[in-house]
Amino acid sequence: MLAKKGFNKKVLFGALAGVAVVAAALVGYRVFGWGAMGPVNSLKLDLSRPDALVRTNSLSTLPRDLLTVPLARDVLREEFLFYYEQSEDRLGLKGSLRRIAYEHQLGWGDQLLRMVLDQPAEVALWRDADGSLKHFAIAVSRKQLTRILEEAAKVALKDTQMSVAGSLRVDGDSVPVYALNYAWQRTLLFAAHGQRLVILSHPGMLYGGADHKDGDGTAEKTVVSLLGKDADKQNVFHPQFHLDNAAPEGHSIAVKADFLSFGYQPFFGALEALRFDFQHGAWQSKVLLNGDKLKNGGKDGYDSSALWPVLPHNPSACFSVPVDWSALQPVLKRLGSKTTEPVAPLAEHLQGPAAACWYGNSRLHTPVFVATRKPQAGDDAAVVNIYGSLFEAAIGGKDPVRKSTGKDGAGEFVRWERTIATALGPTTAALAVAGNTVVFSADGKLVDQVLAVRRKQAAAASDLLPDGAHTVGLIAPASLARLIQFEAFDTLPANNEPVLRAAANEHLVPRLDALKKYPPLRMVLKRQPASGTGMVWEALEWQEAAR
């Protein structure tokens, strides 16, 4: 399940790379030069608000347990485990650990790495400028820290890879912050107090300013709270994910919707986060919904039943999200400055969730979006024309907008289209309003397919679904695999990229072939919180859909 969401590559790389560096962070390093460490400082990370949180009884077992998911096992295979075992960061840390232990005659050895990796831990992760979860903080509790820290303090005075970067005040004690340079431009910070140990993947996370100071003190306060004696009772990361302080039986991975949505989450603020729990040998999925932000969706604020009957059959991937249409008003106001009539009122004309769907006969960059209008009173034709003004202002391009109208058994429809130039070639984008359905895509053919479904001239996605109201996602692995394969090879022409294309043939194609064997799956919310119910974690079930 994690693999299907594209989640493992980002979250697990950060988590497992963090796992690999935990032990080495215990033993030290020498700061290589703050300026050489990259642009972390400019990211302005809020150390109190991570994008993802991993809670686990044993970091070292997380990759193995991930592969208990049949799809993950078939697609990732055992090479997934070998990759993290042999990653550059882990090998660099392991080598640094062995050298320091040998040169200073310490009894750490590889057992230190195993000691930390096999402990209950929390890994908080933050996105980098490229969107990946690259930066992490690891917090563990360990009783056997005293001797190690005493030896680390001595090593820091004379080792080339280890130094004291600063100090923190924790529960009245002065706690040194050590820096460990374990590879070229790879530096960690770590600090320990009592039975608590905290590791930061980059010095800039704590010493982020030009003068190596923590700007507003948030980072320092966060690290101090993670090291304090009450850290287990007052975890700074749990409230924002609405998690209790009870340790999970296996693993629990929570990811904020803002990270998964590439920054568009303010438009569907009711969807807060996704969570994946591993207990009793099986993974379970959950979704965090904010019932206070569920609006205009009837008694069930996340009712998607109006969307699936107008969406074409067999999408590669299709998801409905609870949109806060009022959040679009600032955007519509800015676009209204380019039109002859105001378009901001359109935010009040839409209701319920919206759907975003990808199809195998189109491209990854041209999904189709479908929304539902409220029943209109009065001059509806005038309201519909405002959508045309919005389309012309938003889509850009120099070609004229072409408008067409029609009427069929499903009622009247209005369609606008414009051909625009893109880096991937020209495309004809289209927007249509048909009854209470609004549909847009940068691929006009997908808009026409939605209109054909409304006319009962083509099969609908609802044909796969016994319950459209509670279905919030649909994935067809075979169709998705074909789409991914087409996009991958389209960017790797055989004449220009022979090496990468050969690598894709050898490594990517077998995994996509394994993906194609799986039946369509649907994501189901068995219970939907009604409006005004606050923050609630709800079970998200994966069920086989009809073919």
Side-chain angles (χ1 to χ4, degrees):
M1 288 177 286
L2 298 181
K4 286 189 287 246
K5 293 184 138 335
F7 172 73
N8 61 294
K9 291 287 186 180
K10 295 179 179 178
V11 172
L12 291 179
F13 178 79
L16 297 174
V19 169
V21 299
V22 171
L26 283 168
V27 290
Y29 89 117
R30 177 178 177 81
V31 178
F32 210 44
W34 302 110
M37 291 306 299
V40 171
N41 302 348
S42 62
L43 294 178
K44 299 180 180 179
L45 299 182
D46 185 347
L47 217 61
S48 67
R49 300 192 61 81
D51 295 306
L53 181 66
V54 179
R55 298 189 299 162
T56 176
N57 274 336
S58 173
L59 284 166
S60 61
T61 63
L62 184 55
R64 180 199 66 195
D65 291 336
L66 174 64
L67 294 186
T68 60
V69 179
L71 188 145
R73 183 177 62 248
D74 290 346
V75 174
L76 296 177
R77 303 186 182 181
E78 292 183 356
E79 290 92 330
F80 173 75
L81 291 178
F82 297 146
Y83 172 80
Y84 288 111
E85 286 288 337
Q86 303 300 322
S87 69
E88 178 184 351
D89 279 350
R90 178 161 184 154
L91 292 176
L93 285 162
K94 206 170 186 179
S96 296
L97 174 62
R98 287 176 175 174
R99 183 200 63 77
I100 292 173
Y102 175 77
E103 290 188 4
H104 298 278
Q105 299 179 347
L106 304 176
W108 296 341
D110 290 344
Q111 65 178 355
L112 181 58
L113 183 61
R114 292 191 299 269
M115 180 185 76
V116 177
L117 295 183
D118 290 338
Q119 293 304 303
E122 292 195 352
V123 184
L125 301 113
W126 292 261
R127 76 190 81 178
D128 194 23
D130 63 2
S132 63
L133 292 176
K134 184 176 296 184
H135 310 293
F136 57 85
I138 303 176
V140 297
S141 295
R142 185 70 197 182
K143 295 180 180 179
Q144 302 171 344
L145 288 176
T146 303
R147 180 180 61 84
I148 294 174
L149 291 175
E150 290 176 351
E151 293 179 343
K154 297 177 182 178
V155 171
L157 298 176
K158 53 185 177 180
D159 194 82
T160 59
Q161 289 183 263
M162 187 171 177
S163 68
V164 177
S167 64
L168 299 170
R169 200 74 182 172
V170 182
D171 296 338
D173 299 328
S174 179
V175 175
V177 179
Y178 297 101
L180 172 67
N181 169 30
Y182 60 92
W184 172 253
Q185 293 194 357
R186 293 288 192 275
T187 302
L188 295 171
L189 295 182
F190 72 93
H193 180 258
Q195 298 180 15
R196 297 286 295 175
L197 169 70
V198 173
I199 303 103
L200 303 179
S201 62
H202 193 293
M205 297 174 70
L206 181 58
Y207 302 115
D211 55 356
H212 317 319
K213 300 293 185 181
D214 176 17
D216 60 0
T218 299
E220 181 173 329
K221 292 177 182 177
T222 302
V223 176
V224 168
S225 65
L226 292 173
L227 290 171
K229 60 183 179 181
D230 296 326
D232 291 331
K233 299 178 182 178
Q234 303 174 357
N235 195 294
V236 293
F237 300 137
H238 290 189
Q240 59 195 283
F241 288 96
H242 292 266
L243 302 171
D244 56 37
N245 289 331
E249 295 181 12
H251 316 290
S252 181
I253 304 171
V255 189
K256 290 183 178 177
D258 181 62
F259 167 72
L260 296 172
S261 65
F262 302 102
Y264 288 97
Q265 197 261 348
F267 295 118
F268 44 94
L271 181 61
E272 294 281 346
L274 293 175
R275 193 170 110 208
F276 307 92
D277 295 339
F278 182 82
Q279 295 180 344
H280 310 298
W283 285 93
Q284 295 179 329
S285 305
K286 294 183 179 180
V287 60
L288 181 62
L289 295 173
N290 186 342
D292 295 335
K293 294 184 179 180
L294 288 173
K295 301 176 182 178
N296 303 324
K299 66 181 181 67
D300 286 332
Y302 197 174
D303 187 338
S304 303
S305 56
L307 298 172
W308 302 110
V310 299
L311 287 164
H313 180 78
N314 196 32
S316 299
C318 197
F319 305 98
S320 73
V321 291
V323 178
D324 179 5
W325 294 108
S326 62
L328 292 176
Q329 285 186 333
V331 178
L332 294 176
K333 286 181 180 179
R334 288 196 296 271
L335 290 173
S337 64
K338 304 177 183 178
T339 64
T340 57
E341 51 190 329
V343 297
L346 291 180
E348 301 174 0
H349 297 166
L350 297 166
Q351 65 178 357
C357 305
W358 290 258
Y359 286 86
N361 60 351
S362 188
R363 303 293 298 270
L364 279 176
H365 63 277
T366 58
V368 62
F369 300 94
V370 176
T372 304
R373 295 200 303 152
K374 297 177 183 177
Q376 300 296 314
D379 188 1
D380 188 44
V383 174
V384 169
N385 285 331
I386 301 178
Y387 285 94
S389 298
L390 173 63
F391 176 76
E392 184 170 4
I395 200 61
K398 298 180 180 180
D399 287 358
V401 172
R402 298 178 291 277
K403 177 182 177 181
S404 59
T405 60
K407 187 175 182 180
D408 51 35
E412 297 181 350
F413 69 87
V414 183
R415 183 182 183 278
W416 300 267
E417 70 173 26
R418 169 180 272 172
T419 300
I420 54 177
T422 72
L424 299 175
T427 184
T428 300
L431 171 72
V433 178
N436 290 335
T437 299
V438 181
V439 53
F440 165 79
S441 177
D443 181 354
K445 296 190 295 295
L446 292 183
V447 173
D448 294 334
Q449 289 178 27
V450 173
L451 296 177
V453 171
R454 289 192 77 256
R455 296 192 297 266
K456 308 298 183 184
Q457 295 176 342
S462 57
D463 297 342
L464 297 173
L465 309 175
D467 180 4
H470 289 196
T471 299
V472 297
L474 187 63
I475 297 175
S479 178
L480 181 61
R482 286 191 292 270
L483 180 58
I484 293 173
Q485 185 167 339
F486 175 81
E487 294 288 355
F489 283 95
D490 187 61
T491 60
L492 298 173
N495 294 333
N496 297 337
E497 298 287 353
V499 176
L500 291 177
R501 191 177 181 94
N505 270 317
E506 181 178 355
H507 300 289
L508 177 63
V509 172
R511 281 139 179 83
L512 294 178
D513 288 342
L515 188 62
K516 293 175 184 177
K517 298 177 182 178
Y518 284 83
L521 300 169
R522 69 188 188 111
M523 301 161 55
V524 179
L525 276 178
K526 297 297 290 184
R527 191 180 76 88
Q528 298 178 346
S531 299
T533 53
M535 304 291 286
V536 183
W537 279 107
E538 297 290 354
L540 187 63
E541 296 186 2
W542 295 79
Q543 301 177 1
E544 185 171 333
R547 292 180 182 271

